[in-house]
């Protein structure tokens, strides 16, 4: 009984630590990545506003791409935060989906090799492992 209480205590402590790490990473991502992308878009808009010449379709397309990139980054962050995404699949499938998103958005080739049958875990443990994985990205 005492070992079970200790285990539950450690589990709760781990959850709190993972939640704190996740929030810290999200904060960094918002500031460093999305903030910079939107800042570039604002600078471009300011240049257009202060310019006498008309805005070209090429310039508008570049601005559109910048804004689309920031929206993609926000969507990725929302998937990280939302544990319902993990409910709809399992731990391994969620990681595979994340790798696919990374490949698509960041043009980085990702491979996931699993050479055994991953044991079925309860949702709480899968969520903890998934959060640990997300914090390492």
């Amino acid at each position: 009984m005492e070992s079970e209480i200790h285990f539950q205590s450690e589990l709760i402590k781990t959850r709190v630590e993972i939640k704190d790490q996740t929030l810290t990473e999200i904060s960094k991502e918002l500031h460093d990545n999305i903030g910079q992308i939107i800042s570039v878009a604002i600078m471009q808009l300011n240049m257009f506003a202060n310019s006498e010449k008309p805005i070209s379709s090429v310039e508008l397309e570049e601005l559109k791409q910048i804004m689309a990139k920031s929206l993609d980054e926000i969507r990725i962050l929302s998937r990280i935060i939302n544990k319902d995404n993990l409910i709809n699949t399992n731990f391994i499938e969620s990681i595979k989906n994340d790798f696919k998103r990374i490949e698509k958005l960041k043009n980085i080739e990702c491979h996931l090799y699993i050479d055994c049958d991953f044991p079925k875990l309860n949702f709480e443990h899968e969520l903890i492992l998934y959060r640990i994985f997300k914090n390492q990205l």
Side-chain angles (χ1 to χ4, degrees):
M1 184 66 174
E2 187 176 316
S3 64
E4 179 66 26
I5 292 171
H6 178 70
F7 175 76
Q8 291 299 325
S9 172
E10 288 298 312
L11 189 60
I12 290 169
K13 198 163 89 176
T14 301
R15 275 190 217 144
V16 169
E17 289 173 6
I18 290 171
K19 192 173 276 189
D20 286 346
Q21 288 175 349
T22 301
L23 290 173
T24 298
E25 289 302 314
I26 291 169
S27 172
K28 286 179 189 175
E29 191 70 21
L30 284 169
H31 180 269
D32 296 344
N33 197 6
I34 297 170
Q36 287 180 359
I37 293 169
I38 293 173
S39 292
V40 168
I42 290 170
M43 286 189 304
Q44 280 190 322
L45 284 171
N46 285 332
M47 286 176 16
F48 296 153
N50 296 327
S51 175
E52 299 289 324
K53 70 176 188 141
I55 302 168
S56 73
S57 60
V58 171
E59 291 170 323
L60 282 176
E61 184 59 34
E62 287 174 359
L63 184 57
K64 180 180 150 190
Q65 288 175 3
I66 290 170
M67 296 308 294
K69 182 172 174 64
S70 67
L71 184 57
D72 286 341
E73 294 290 335
I74 290 169
R75 285 183 178 135
I76 288 171
L77 273 178
S78 71
R79 286 184 186 114
I80 291 170
I81 297 168
N82 188 351
K83 71 180 179 181
D84 291 340
N85 288 317
L86 186 60
I87 292 171
N88 296 330
T89 60
N90 64 33
F91 169 67
I92 299 299
E93 286 303 312
S94 295
I95 291 175
K96 287 178 183 177
N97 290 336
D98 287 337
F99 279 168
K100 288 175 190 171
R101 276 194 291 278
I102 291 169
E103 285 180 328
K104 179 183 170 193
L105 292 173
K106 307 283 186 179
N107 293 322
I108 298 173
E109 192 173 326
C110 300
H111 299 280
L112 177 64
Y113 298 104
I114 300 173
D115 62 356
C116 65
D117 289 332
F118 199 81
K120 180 66 180 145
L121 302 173
N122 69 40
F123 177 74
E124 297 254 335
H125 292 147
E126 280 192 352
L127 185 59
I128 289 170
L129 287 172
Y130 185 65
R131 296 283 192 227
I132 291 169
F133 165 76
K134 294 303 277 190
N135 281 332
Q136 299 307 309
L137 288 180

